[in-house]
Amino acid sequence: MTKEATGNLAQVIKENQEVLLNGWLEGMFSRIVRRDRAAEAEMRDHAARFLPLVAEAVEQGGSYDVALASWNEVRRLLSEISQSRLRQGFTPVETATFVFSLKEPLFRLLRTRMASDTIALAEEMAETGALFDKLGLFTVDEHLKGREQVILRQQQELLELSTPVVQLWKDILAVPLIGTLDSARTQVVMENLLQKIIDTGASIAIVDITGVPTVDTLVAQHLLKTVSAARLMGADCIISGIRPQIAQTIVHLGVNLEDVITKATLADAFQVALKRTGAGVAALLPA
């Protein structure tokens, strides 16, 4: 592509910025189902910033290659726009429409400017169309990356919420586990439990697996790691929720839990923990 070809686009944008802006916004707003004044004001601001950045990038680089350094500011703005649309609940397609809506009013101006040279016009429109397709796809990619980050953050938050450490009594903690126990969740369990042991000075931790559907070799290893970590911090562990089928599975797997106290229910484990701490619960006599 020649400097002259890219110069046509830059000049059209610079000389017709207000006309382009109005035509562009009109096209964008006509495609929006959910009308919101705050969102439309933000779109107008983004559009007003986008046009001069594109013209500058074309002039500086003399190319429509959006990977060049001359397009850094354009990419930065599109990334900002994508993240903003993501927070507002827009889809990737709706986000890309921000860029694609500019093509129609821009093509009208190019046809007027280059009407006398149809061959150059056809080439310019093809190159310009490809340019804005790339920029639109860039917004989709940034939108998807942002959504992946949100999902990962939410997964981490759910892990935190699904592995609470509860103080049942002075010196006694409980970790009720529900669902599958994998490596990532085991790490969260250990971190939360160890921090709680430090905060409370607890000497016993009850790990309740009543809500764990199945126990295989990997789950058993995760439990042993948690027990070992707690012991290193000065707290003994009791595993409760050992149902008959889980007991058989552990035996068949050959997992050694001989040095770990196990109980069928959380209540049984709590009674053992009370005795080991020298505490007890007595029934009140009727008045």
Side-chain angles (χ1 to χ4, degrees), residues 10-282:
Q11 288 302 313
V12 164
I13 293 176
K14 292 171 68 175
E15 294 172 3
N16 303 274
Q17 186 164 331
E18 192 63 30
V19 174
L20 263 178
L21 185 60
N22 292 332
W24 184 15
L25 291 171
E26 182 180 346
M28 272 196 290
F29 295 158
S30 67
R31 292 175 172 85
I32 296 176
V33 178
R34 301 166 294 172
R35 300 303 294 266
D36 179 87
R37 288 186 177 181
E40 290 179 9
E42 185 181 52
M43 283 185 184
R44 185 177 294 276
D45 174 66
H46 285 152
R49 291 165 57 192
F50 181 76
L51 287 174
L53 287 179
V54 171
E56 183 180 353
V58 171
E59 284 189 325
Q60 284 185 357
S63 168
Y64 290 169
D65 185 355
V66 298
L68 296 177
S70 56
W71 289 86
N72 285 348
E73 290 303 316
V74 175
R75 294 198 304 270
R76 188 173 294 112
L77 176 59
L78 288 178
S79 179
E80 176 188 330
I81 291 169
S82 299
Q83 299 307 313
S84 174
R85 298 291 191 277
L86 175 63
R87 290 191 296 271
Q88 294 170 12
F90 286 87
T91 66
V93 173
E94 289 173 324
T95 302
T97 299
F98 173 83
V99 175
F100 294 149
S101 299
L102 177 57
K103 291 165 72 173
E104 186 176 342
L106 189 55
F107 285 168
R108 284 199 299 265
L109 292 171
L110 284 172
R111 281 194 291 266
T112 301
R113 178 184 177 88
M114 304 176 66
S116 60
D117 190 345
T118 56
I119 296 177
L121 172 62
E123 181 184 350
E124 179 63 45
M125 290 184 66
E127 295 288 347
T128 301
L131 166 65
F132 286 97
D133 286 343
K134 292 176 187 176
L135 294 175
L137 291 175
F138 178 82
T139 65
V140 172
D141 189 46
E142 289 297 296
H143 188 285
L144 293 176
K145 287 179 182 178
R147 188 162 64 180
E148 288 175 1
Q149 291 174 355
V150 170
I151 291 172
L152 287 174
R153 186 169 63 250
Q154 289 174 339
Q155 288 177 338
Q156 184 62 31
E157 291 171 353
L158 285 174
L159 275 177
E160 296 284 348
L161 293 173
S162 64
T163 53
V165 180
V166 184
Q167 184 162 8
L168 298 180
W169 204 267
K170 186 179 182 298
D171 295 334
I172 302 175
L173 301 176
V175 185
L177 299 177
I178 299 174
T180 304
L181 191 63
D182 56 19
S183 298
R185 196 167 176 215
T186 301
Q187 185 64 32
V188 174
V189 169
M190 280 198 287
E191 289 176 0
N192 290 351
L193 177 58
L194 297 182
Q195 186 59 51
K196 196 71 172 180
I197 290 173
I198 294 173
D199 295 340
T200 63
S203 58
I204 295 181
I206 301 172
V207 179
D208 183 66
I209 62 171
T210 303
V212 177
T214 58
V215 173
D216 54 18
T217 303
L218 190 60
V219 171
Q221 289 175 348
H222 290 328
L223 289 173
L224 291 175
K225 287 179 182 178
T226 303
V227 170
S228 298
R231 284 176 173 171
L232 289 173
M233 299 301 297
D236 283 331
C237 275
I238 302 173
I239 299 178
S240 65
I242 304 293
R243 304 183 296 280
Q245 59 269 34
I246 288 182
Q248 292 179 35
T249 301
I250 290 175
V251 171
H252 290 155
L253 293 174
V255 178
N256 184 11
L257 294 177
E258 293 181 359
D259 59 343
V260 180
I261 300 175
T262 58
K263 290 295 177 182
T265 66
L266 178 60
D268 293 339
F270 186 45
Q271 288 182 347
V272 172
L274 286 173
K275 290 179 181 178
R276 295 190 66 172
T277 58
V281 178

